Amino acid sequence: MSFLSKTKAFWAAVLFLISIMPISVQAGLTNGGFESGLADWTTSPTGTVAPVGDSMISGVLFEVQEGDWMASLSYPGFSGDLEENYIRQKVEIEENSNYLSFFYNFWSFDEGNYDGFVVSITGGMQDDIIMTVDAGDIAGAHNNDNLGDLDYTGWKFITFDISGFYNPARESNITISFFSGNTGDDSYPSGVFIDDVKITEYEPPVVHVPTSMLLMASGLLGFVGLRRKVNG
């Protein structure tokens, strides 16, 4: 199944299920560096998700971005559908909770509009898929764009303005979710490493990121998108 064939209705259903799932609320985002494993993060009971250290895939060393641990979606099992491999955390945000930032390293053996990495936020004043990347977006980054060859982004730093999710009239709880995996089969797996997830009052320092790596779901899937902050 093509990653881009995931319709607005499909992801609307996914976001709705996230919004009604019983998840404990953290007073501010915690364990964003995964140094305590996946503590404070909710994971799928059927997905392939794990805290890992430096990891080797097809002869390529994927090093932790910071500290000793990072979150891994799809590796080491090299399996799991996109919507099944996830980590999420429900966070109470305040007036000064202005920016969400994180590092990711998406990898894939697939090609074209298949497999992927999705970031979503539900709750507060709006529900959004705020970022998507698929196998075609990274084709040729480190290989010759051949099906079955490993390609990967390397560590990319992303910042989003999330101030629009705060509601001064009531308690504002948002659920931040990261998805990554396959769309249809496990023959040519894909996954992502995530590290150093933070919510801050002030915009983090600039880290250059190619804008071609970001596809706003508001344009791709018809959602009303966040104001994207791309440093690059």
Side-chain angles (χ1 to χ4, degrees):
M1 179 187 297
S2 168
F3 175 59
L4 295 181
S5 70
K6 297 290 188 179
T7 63
K8 176 182 177 181
F10 172 87
W11 282 108
V14 171
L15 296 186
F16 173 73
L17 290 175
I18 293 172
S19 68
I20 63 175
M21 289 182 67
I23 304 175
S24 60
V25 182
Q26 307 296 327
L29 192 143
T30 57
N31 192 30
F34 306 100
E35 297 304 296
S36 298
L38 294 176
D40 300 328
W41 293 89
T42 299
T43 64
S44 166
T46 59
T48 302
V49 180
V52 298
D54 294 346
S55 302
M56 186 76 71
I57 301 178
S58 193
V60 176
L61 178 63
F62 290 81
E63 296 183 289
V64 174
Q65 197 281 323
E66 183 175 321
D68 297 318
W69 298 91
M70 56 187 173
S72 173
L73 282 62
S74 182
Y75 174 85
F78 297 105
S79 62
D81 290 340
L82 174 65
E83 63 271 21
E84 290 181 331
N85 292 343
Y86 66 75
I87 59 172
R88 60 178 57 121
Q89 188 171 149
K90 192 170 187 178
V91 180
E92 180 181 349
I93 58 173
E94 301 177 345
E95 186 176 4
N96 61 354
S97 301
N98 295 327
Y99 294 95
L100 167 68
S101 64
F102 57 90
F103 286 85
Y104 78 92
N105 191 347
F106 175 65
W107 57 268
S108 180
F109 289 91
D110 217 326
E111 64 180 357
N113 299 327
Y114 291 91
D115 299 357
F117 171 46
V118 174
V119 184
S120 74
I121 298 179
T122 59
M125 294 288 286
Q126 59 198 78
D127 293 341
D128 279 294
I129 291 177
I130 61 175
M131 174 181 169
T132 67
V133 182
D134 62 37
D137 292 323
I138 65 171
H142 293 88
N143 260 312
N144 296 320
D145 193 18
N146 295 320
L147 181 63
D149 287 345
L150 174 65
D151 240 323
Y152 52 96
T153 62
W155 283 114
K156 302 296 180 183
F157 180 73
I158 301 297
T159 301
F160 292 102
D161 182 344
I162 62 169
S163 58
F165 283 90
Y166 175 70
N167 184 348
R170 59 180 174 84
E171 184 179 80
S172 297
N173 297 328
I174 63 171
T175 301
I176 301 166
S177 302
F178 299 93
F179 303 82
S180 190
N182 307 313
T183 53
D185 64 71
D186 294 333
S187 300
Y188 301 101
S190 302
V192 73
F193 298 107
I194 301 167
D195 206 356
D196 201 22
V197 186
K198 293 179 180 178
I199 293 178
T200 57
E201 179 177 2
Y202 300 105
E203 183 179 5
V206 171
V207 178
H208 293 289
V209 178
T211 56
S212 61
M213 296 306 302
L214 301 179
L215 299 174
M216 286 304 294
S218 58
L220 179 64
L221 301 173
F223 278 80
V224 177
L226 279 176
R227 295 187 304 277
R228 182 185 64 198
K229 196 68 173 180
V230 183
N231 295 318

